[in-house]
């Protein structure tokens, strides 16, 4: 079981590594874009943005769920299984999430031929959600879970447009998937791992979907708007794709 989980993680991410290389080759040699220009409109990356949002990921939601309904969780931690998986997860999961961000919020959001920022925002959010339609969670919970997937894509898209760069989306997406892999797993999820806890409850399409999309994500946007002094929301989200001055 230990080897199977580790091999699954490696095999699943080999495709993302290959696709990431293709994505960067396309940007560099066909579109004439550097990695920096694909990532941000600023002269260079701001790594502190990735670190800041990584540290402010909403893993507290899982912790609150654990303390509110402890009967739904069992202790799954095994040091011998967890340590090698931890190393693989820290190496490979950020590659997977980075590819998805560069594809949807990088290539597609910048490449769609339109004069409005709203159209790439909506299209990439819907496509991001549809990409997860094959996950076993959809079969277990129902198509209502697409609200969460598309809502997450919309949240990441708003982060990208308001901040004029991918750094925040890169950090959040990596932190979100790492928390899901290392902290909590379930038999019915797409990614079954040697996590600390295991959810043994019957999944439902309710509070778990509504809270992140309609409460946590807006609160995080409010927090980041205050920290990074975002303004001109209407123009940044629905205006022209031309550069918008602060």
């Amino acid at each position: 079981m230990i080897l199977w989980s580790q091999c699954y993680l490696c095999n699943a991410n080999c495709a993302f590594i290959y696709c990431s290389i293709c994505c960067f080759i396309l940007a560099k040699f066909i579109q004439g874009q550097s990695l920096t220009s694909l990532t941000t409109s600023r002269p260079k990356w701001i790594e502190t943005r990735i670190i800041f949002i990584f540290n402010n990921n909403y893993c507290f939601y899982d912790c609150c769920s654990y303390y509110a309904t402890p009967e739904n969780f069992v202790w799954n931690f095994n040091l011998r299984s967890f340590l090698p998986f931890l190393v693989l997860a820290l190496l490979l999961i950020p590659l997977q999430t980075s590819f998805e961000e560069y594809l949807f919020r990088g290539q597609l959001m910048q490449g769609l031929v339109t004069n409005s920022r709203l159209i790439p925002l909506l299209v990439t959010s819907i496509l991001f959600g549809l990409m997860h339609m094959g996950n076993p969670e959809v079969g277990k919970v129902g198509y209502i879970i697409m609200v969460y997937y598309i809502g997450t894509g919309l949240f990441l898209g708003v982060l990208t447009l308001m901040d004029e760069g991918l750094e925040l989306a890169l950090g959040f997406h990596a932190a979100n998937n790492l928390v899901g892999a290392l902290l909590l797993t379930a038999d019915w999820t797409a990614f079954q791992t040697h996590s600390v806890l295991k959810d043994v409850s019957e999944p439902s399409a309710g509070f778990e979907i509504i809270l992140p999309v309609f409460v946590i994500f807006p609160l995080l946007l409010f927090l980041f708007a205050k920290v990074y002094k975002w303004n001109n929301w209407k123009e940044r989200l629905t205006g022209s794709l031309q550069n918008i001055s602060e």
Side-chain angles (χ1 to χ4, degrees):
M1 184 65 179
I2 296 173
L3 286 176
W4 182 90
S5 179
Q6 295 172 358
C7 290
Y8 174 82
L9 181 63
C10 292
N11 292 334
N13 281 278
C14 281
F16 288 108
I17 294 172
Y18 173 77
C19 291
S20 297
I21 294 173
C22 293
C23 182
F24 294 137
I25 290 176
L26 174 65
K28 178 69 175 179
F29 297 104
I30 297 180
Q31 299 174 326
Q33 282 186 289
S34 65
L35 180 60
T36 299
S37 66
L38 189 62
T39 304
T40 180
S41 62
R42 291 175 281 270
K44 63 178 182 178
W45 291 37
I46 302 180
E47 292 83 359
T48 54
R49 275 172 154 78
I50 299 178
I51 297 171
F52 175 77
I53 196 169
F54 194 96
N55 291 334
N56 284 276
N57 185 264
Y58 66 102
C59 63
F60 68 87
Y61 167 64
D62 290 330
C63 296
C64 292
S65 298
Y66 173 73
Y67 284 106
T69 56
E71 67 276 7
N72 291 339
F73 302 89
V74 295
W75 191 251
N76 192 55
F77 182 74
N78 180 289
L79 185 63
R80 181 169 172 265
S81 303
F82 183 80
L83 286 180
F85 176 72
L86 173 64
V87 174
L88 287 174
L90 291 175
L91 289 174
L92 297 178
I93 288 179
L95 291 176
Q96 172 225 331
T97 57
S98 295
F99 164 70
E100 292 181 8
E101 287 311 307
Y102 278 108
L103 175 63
F104 289 101
R105 260 67 64 178
Q107 289 280 5
L108 291 179
M109 187 169 279
Q110 295 181 34
L112 288 176
V113 181
T114 174
N115 289 325
S116 170
R117 291 180 165 221
L118 181 61
I119 294 176
L121 173 61
L122 295 178
V123 170
T124 55
S125 300
I126 293 172
L127 290 176
F128 180 80
L130 292 177
M131 181 188 69
H132 295 84
M133 188 175 287
N135 287 5
E137 291 92 333
V138 177
K140 190 70 173 179
V141 177
Y143 287 108
I144 187 64
I145 199 174
M146 297 302 295
V147 172
Y148 171 76
Y149 291 135
I150 294 175
T152 301
L154 185 64
F155 168 70
L156 294 169
V158 171
L159 282 180
T160 301
L161 290 178
M162 289 304 302
D163 200 52
E164 296 288 342
L166 280 173
E167 295 98 327
L168 292 178
L170 286 168
F172 180 88
H173 200 164
N176 181 68
N177 284 29
L178 280 170
V179 167
L182 299 174
L183 181 62
L184 184 64
T185 190
D187 290 335
W188 45 271
T189 59
F191 203 26
Q192 298 175 32
T193 66
H194 296 293
S195 60
V196 176
L197 296 171
K198 183 176 182 179
D199 186 350
V200 294
S201 65
E202 189 66 22
S204 62
F207 183 75
E208 297 87 351
I209 295 174
I210 298 300
L211 185 66
V213 175
F214 296 102
V215 178
I216 295 177
F217 291 166
L219 287 176
L220 286 174
L221 287 174
F222 177 78
L223 170 65
F224 301 139
K226 293 297 183 182
V227 171
Y228 296 114
K229 297 178 173 57
W230 292 343
N231 55 31
N232 208 7
W233 284 71
K234 182 178 180 180
E235 284 301 316
R236 287 185 181 275
L237 297 180
T238 66
S240 170
L241 286 176
Q242 297 175 352
N243 291 333
I244 298 175
S245 60
E246 295 290 341

